[in-house]
Amino acid sequence: MDIALIGIGKIAVDQHVPAIAASSDWELAATVSRAGTVDGVDAYTDFDVLLAERPEIRVISLCLPPVPRFEYASKALKAGRHVMLEKPPGATLSECHALEAMAKAKGVSLYATWHSREADKVAAAKDWLSDKTLKSFRVTWKEDVRRWHPGQDWIFEAGGLGVFDPGINALSIVTKILPDAIHLTASTLLFPQNRQAPIAAELKFFHPGGADVSAVFDFRQEGEQTWAIEAVCEEGTMLLTHGGAQMFVDGVAQGATETGLHGEYPRLYANMAALVRAGGIDMDLSPMRHVADAFLLGRRETVVPFEF
């Protein structure tokens, strides 16, 4: 199937383009970007022109920042195209619900992707937790914004999510692997004096079984990056590390050792191909609800200015 990739930035170049190139399901037929291009692929700078000139491209993958994404997604859906959304699927929950309604009205597929759910050991962690009695659950997600988003000021603008841009990856795993639904009860958000989005956050959750569930996110981590989830249960302790790529039970590694985003984006594109063929929609917004609740309940603290 022909697909167009909209927004040729770091994540598109690092993950989307290689995943599409390696897939037997897809042919990258065009891109839209103000400056970025992909060698050998038709490049547009105007999305409206692409939609008008290339009706044979039935699938659109959006890799734009969250704030402008709704405009592009709604245009694509109204034009009868299937749409794949990089995380988060929109700037607000209301936007996401509106997009789902448009997709249903047009009879096209819509996919809110959560790439961290496709990390190598997430499915195994879900299976392990399914019959365990949870006592505590701790998420530690700390990374260096300068390394992963160099010079991307939009991430600290209103709607850019700040530290929740990576934090929502953790929440996508949490909402996938926990057998019981949780909800936020308290949050503390650290805002640099010169920014509109938080650079760090601490969260507390209600768990129906009384387990102690918490998370800490930080965009200021230097040196080793930390993407870990620890579940202490009556039956043992499970630890996910490297963003869900590695899993340990009582200190013993489970399965092969993976690193980075190994296999995540190829699996997303395989999922999208299956949705298009089945005419399906996957718009699970549970990770985004936790982020919205964190902003609603957030106790704001001001910290030193941040510059890239």
Side-chain angles (χ1 to χ4, degrees), residues 47-59:
F47 188 50
D48 292 330
V49 173
L50 169 77
L51 291 176
E53 292 186 354
R54 303 295 294 274
E56 81 281 6
I57 300 176
R58 306 306 305 163
V59 184

Side-chain angles (χ1 to χ4, degrees), residues 47 53 56 72 88 114 132 150 220 260 266 271-272 284 288:
F47 188 50
E53 292 186 354
E56 81 281 6
Y72 284 78
W114 302 105
K132 302 299 187 297
R220 304 166 296 184
N271 294 345
M272 182 62 182
D284 177 22
M288 201 166 170

Side-chain angles (χ1 to χ4, degrees), residues 133-210:
T133 304
L134 189 66
K135 296 169 62 179
S136 69
F137 191 87
R138 174 75 170 174
V139 179
T140 306
W141 225 253
K142 298 181 177 182
E143 64 181 62
D144 185 352
V145 65
R146 292 185 175 94
R147 182 190 302 188
W148 303 103
H149 299 276
Q152 295 181 19
D153 285 298
W154 64 263
I155 209 164
F156 285 113
E157 295 296 330
L161 292 189
V163 75
F164 286 102
D165 180 82
I168 205 169
N169 295 336
L171 294 171
S172 72
I173 296 176
V174 170
T175 51
K176 183 72 172 180
I177 67 176
L178 278 180
D180 299 305
I182 60 173
H183 66 261
L184 201 83
T185 57
S187 66
T188 301
L189 310 178
L190 277 59
F191 284 76
Q193 290 176 352
N194 59 336
R195 301 290 180 170
Q196 297 298 313
I199 200 166
E202 295 184 4
L203 312 178
K204 295 285 291 182
F205 296 87
F206 168 84
H207 181 269

Side-chain angles (χ1 to χ4, degrees), residues 85-295:
L85 301 164
E86 176 60 86
K87 64 84 188 175
T92 69
L93 288 167
S94 294
E95 285 184 357
C96 296
H97 290 304
L99 291 177
E100 184 171 5
M102 290 179 201
K104 290 178 178 177
K106 283 291 186 177
V108 295
S109 293
L110 180 64
Y111 182 23
T113 69
W114 302 105
H115 69 82
S116 289
R117 285 184 173 179
E118 302 301 330
D120 197 66
K121 301 300 188 298
V122 168
K126 176 181 173 67
D127 288 343
W128 190 86
L129 284 168
S130 64
D131 60 353
K132 302 299 187 297
T133 304
L134 189 66
K135 296 169 62 179
S136 69
F137 191 87
R138 174 75 170 174
V139 179
T140 306
W141 225 253
K142 298 181 177 182
E143 64 181 62
D144 185 352
V145 65
R146 292 185 175 94
R147 182 190 302 188
W148 303 103
H149 299 276
Q152 295 181 19
D153 285 298
W154 64 263
I155 209 164
F156 285 113
E157 295 296 330
L161 292 189
V163 75
F164 286 102
D165 180 82
I168 205 169
N169 295 336
L171 294 171
S172 72
I173 296 176
V174 170
T175 51
K176 183 72 172 180
I177 67 176
L178 278 180
D180 299 305
I182 60 173
H183 66 261
L184 201 83
T185 57
S187 66
T188 301
L189 310 178
L190 277 59
F191 284 76
Q193 290 176 352
N194 59 336
R195 301 290 180 170
Q196 297 298 313
I199 200 166
E202 295 184 4
L203 312 178
K204 295 285 291 182
F205 296 87
F206 168 84
H207 181 269
D212 181 12
V213 180
S214 63
V216 57
F217 304 149
D218 204 317
F219 240 166
R220 304 166 296 184
Q221 181 86 339
E222 297 180 0
E224 183 178 357
Q225 309 289 277
T226 304
W227 302 291
I229 298 174
E230 182 187 57
V232 178
C233 304
E234 290 184 0
E235 299 85 352
T237 297
M238 186 274 295
L239 177 65
L240 278 178
T241 64
H242 294 78
Q246 298 179 22
M247 176 179 168
F248 302 84
V249 174
D250 295 332
V252 178
Q254 306 295 299
T257 297
E258 303 291 354
T259 59
L261 302 178
H262 176 80
E264 293 181 13
Y265 279 84
R267 284 189 278 273
L268 290 180
Y269 276 95
N271 294 345
M272 182 62 182
L275 280 176
V276 171
R277 293 188 177 108
I281 292 175
D282 184 346
M283 280 292 284
D284 177 22
L285 301 177
S286 53
M288 201 166 170
R289 286 200 299 270
H290 289 312
V291 174
D293 287 350
F295 278 98

Side-chain angles (χ1 to χ4, degrees), residues 23-89:
S23 173
S24 61
D25 292 314
W26 302 105
E27 179 72 26
L28 183 56
T31 64
V32 177
S33 176
R34 290 177 296 181
T37 60
V38 176
D39 289 345
V41 178
D42 291 343
Y44 290 78
T45 57
D46 190 311
F47 188 50
D48 292 330
V49 173
L50 169 77
L51 291 176
E53 292 186 354
R54 303 295 294 274
E56 81 281 6
I57 300 176
R58 306 306 305 163
V59 184
I60 305 295
S61 180
L62 294 176
C63 303
L64 303 161
V67 169
R69 197 172 298 155
F70 176 79
E71 178 183 359
Y72 284 78
S74 60
K75 285 181 178 180
L77 293 170
K78 289 175 182 176
R81 314 299 172 93
H82 308 285
V83 174
M84 181 173 176
L85 301 164
E86 176 60 86
K87 64 84 188 175

